Amino acid sequence: MGQTWRILTALILGIALGTGWGWVRGPGLDSTVPIAELTGGLWLDGLRMTIIPLVVALLVTGIARTADSAREGNLALRSVLVFVCLLWLSTAIAAVLIPGLLALSPIPTEAAAALREGLARSHDKVTAAPGVLAFLRSIVPTNPVAAAANDALLPLIVFTTVFALAVTRLPAGHREMLTGFFGAIADAMLVIVGWVLWLAPIGVFALAFTVGVHAGTSAIGALLHYIMIVSAAGLAAWGLAYPVAVFGGGLSLPRFARAAIPAQAVALSTQSSLASLPSMLKGTELLGVPAGVASVSLPIAVAIFRVTSPAMNLAVVIYIAHWFGIPLAPATIATGAVVAAITTIGSVSLPGQVSFLTSITPIAVSMGVPIEPLALLIAVEMVPDLVRTVGNVTMDIAATAAIARSVRHRAGSQHDPVTNAPD
């Protein structure tokens, strides 16, 4: 949280200094802005250099973990299937919800134009999304190495997914060797990301200063608008947990809400689903979920699946497209939704700033949306990340209760430990 506050402080100071200096047209402004643009650009490039190897490594290890979990028995397989369905459902909700919210409450035209000017490097790199036929033709890469070199992330993700599925069919020794290799690459890339994020206050300050010069105080209102729109996608996924608990788990709404509060409190204070796991186990115990079910389903959920991530990641990209005036056809949004759902499997259970760029970049590239604004938006990720974590924790408890109920029904028992437990 200390680093989060430093980055947020750098954002505020950068916008304030840029706004004030730009308003009075102080001496040296014309020479300072290019230096700030260079500094922010170098910092962003430092993050971008880790994206390709990190996305590939995390996707391979994520799919391998999913397959290993499914091999552990029917309960693990059932848990994997439930969480995969919930991931796709939350993504579909965001794909409909966010364009609708932006139609009802668009970013102010003046603010959007000023922000585009403040991030001119991004505006220069906007590329049109391919048509449907061109998109279908480009899905399968003829040369995965060339796809990586050209930042063609969607074909690279397709190849990596197929490769990871092939790895899961290898003998145990070969499978462990390859997953260990890619796991080590992911760990090394995360160390580099940590180093670059240590410099984030400098990079964010430089970018915010440039935006402040061009956009002035409208940048603050635009960022608040962004936080509300993106958080709405997470709140929708979070809200989905309650009907899952009621209709899937057979629980009363007040009882489920009371049992989830301790885990939600830990999630708010730590921004980590992993740190919330003990509280989630206690919550499922209060709901009458058998320990044998919770001890399998919850670790799988924490290690592999985060239900709010694809919805909120897709929302970020849709918002940037709206910001830059890029029209998104339904097919383009559907493409982004598919990429969001697939890449979430390989994301890491760490505070959102660590995985923000690596999770969202593949979606943006597949939709023809610039990624440079992400370097500025990462500074305000703290609030959406709180929504992400609390939503994930709440859904994990609800889905585990639903899985426990389905297991008991399948076994043909007349006593359901979830639905018949005393209120």
Side-chain angles (χ1 to χ4, degrees):
M1 290 296 291
Q3 178 70 349
T4 298
W5 284 107
R6 283 191 289 271
I7 295 174
L8 184 60
T9 301
L11 173 75
I12 296 171
L13 291 177
I15 291 177
L17 181 60
T19 299
W21 202 344
W23 184 67
V24 301
R25 304 305 299 178
L29 179 63
D30 292 339
S31 60
T32 303
V33 170
I35 295 174
E37 290 178 345
L38 174 63
T39 303
L42 287 174
W43 176 74
L44 175 62
D45 291 342
L47 280 174
R48 292 181 64 180
M49 72 180 180
T50 65
I51 289 173
I52 293 295
L54 188 55
V55 167
V56 171
L58 288 175
L59 194 55
V60 171
T61 55
I63 291 176
R65 287 198 305 267
T66 303
D68 289 341
S69 297
R71 290 191 185 96
E72 292 177 1
N74 291 333
L75 175 58
L77 178 59
R78 183 185 296 267
S79 301
V80 169
L81 292 176
V82 167
F83 285 114
V84 167
C85 291
L86 290 173
L87 281 177
W88 284 93
L89 179 59
S90 69
T91 310
I93 291 173
V96 176
L97 174 66
I98 299 305
L101 288 178
L102 288 173
L104 292 173
S105 176
I107 182 173
T109 305
E110 298 79 6
L115 287 171
R116 286 197 298 270
E117 184 180 356
L119 290 172
R121 294 176 71 252
S122 303
H123 190 58
D124 293 341
K125 296 185 179 182
V126 173
T127 57
V132 175
L133 293 179
F135 161 74
L136 294 175
R137 184 65 180 85
S138 66
I139 286 179
V140 180
T142 57
N143 186 339
V145 177
N150 294 324
D151 287 340
L153 284 177
L154 183 57
L156 181 63
I157 288 171
V158 170
F159 170 78
T160 304
T161 301
V162 174
F163 176 80
L165 291 173
V167 169
T168 64
R169 305 302 299 271
L170 295 177
H174 291 172
R175 184 173 67 250
E176 292 171 1
M177 179 179 65
L178 282 173
T179 54
F181 170 73
F182 282 102
I185 291 178
D187 291 342
M189 289 299 105
L190 287 173
V191 171
I192 296 175
V193 170
W195 291 342
V196 178
L197 286 179
W198 186 79
L199 298 172
I202 299 174
V204 169
F205 176 84
L207 291 170
F209 174 81
T210 303
V211 169
V213 170
H214 295 289
T217 55
S218 62
I220 299 175
L223 290 174
L224 291 175
H225 184 262
Y226 160 82
I227 290 172
M228 290 188 294
I229 294 296
V230 172
S231 296
L235 290 171
W238 179 354
L240 183 63
Y242 294 92
V244 169
V246 171
F247 298 107
L251 301 168
S252 68
L253 184 59
R255 181 165 174 249
F256 171 73
R258 288 196 303 269
I261 286 175
Q264 292 170 340
V266 175
L268 279 172
S269 61
T270 63
Q271 292 180 278
S272 171
S273 299
L274 185 61
S276 307
L277 180 57
S279 297
M280 285 192 281
L281 289 168
K282 182 63 176 177
T284 55
E285 180 184 347
L286 294 175
L287 294 173
V289 174
V293 175
S295 63
V296 173
S297 296
L298 283 177
I300 290 175
V302 169
I304 302 173
F305 300 108
R306 280 155 289 280
V307 72
T308 62
S309 292
M312 296 184 72
N313 293 344
L314 180 64
V316 172
V317 177
I318 294 174
Y319 191 92
I320 294 175
H322 175 73
W323 173 357
F324 279 84
I326 302 172
L328 295 177
T332 304
I333 296 177
T335 299
V338 170
V339 174
I342 292 175
T343 54
T344 297
I345 296 176
S347 61
V348 290
S349 183
L350 295 170
Q353 290 177 344
V354 176
S355 58
F356 185 78
L357 281 171
T358 56
S359 299
I360 298 175
T361 296
I363 308 169
V365 172
S366 69
M367 295 173 64
V369 174
I371 68 170
E372 280 71 20
L374 297 177
L376 185 64
L377 299 178
I378 194 175
V380 293
E381 173 61 13
M382 179 177 65
V383 175
D385 193 42
L386 292 174
V387 177
R388 289 175 186 264
T389 310
V390 177
N392 292 338
V393 165
T394 308
M395 179 59 82
D396 290 348
I397 297 174
T400 300
I403 291 166
R405 189 185 189 204
S406 70
V407 168
R408 297 296 295 179
H409 284 178
R410 183 177 179 84
S413 173
Q414 298 300 313
H415 174 72
D416 186 336
V418 176
T419 58
N420 292 341
D423 245 318

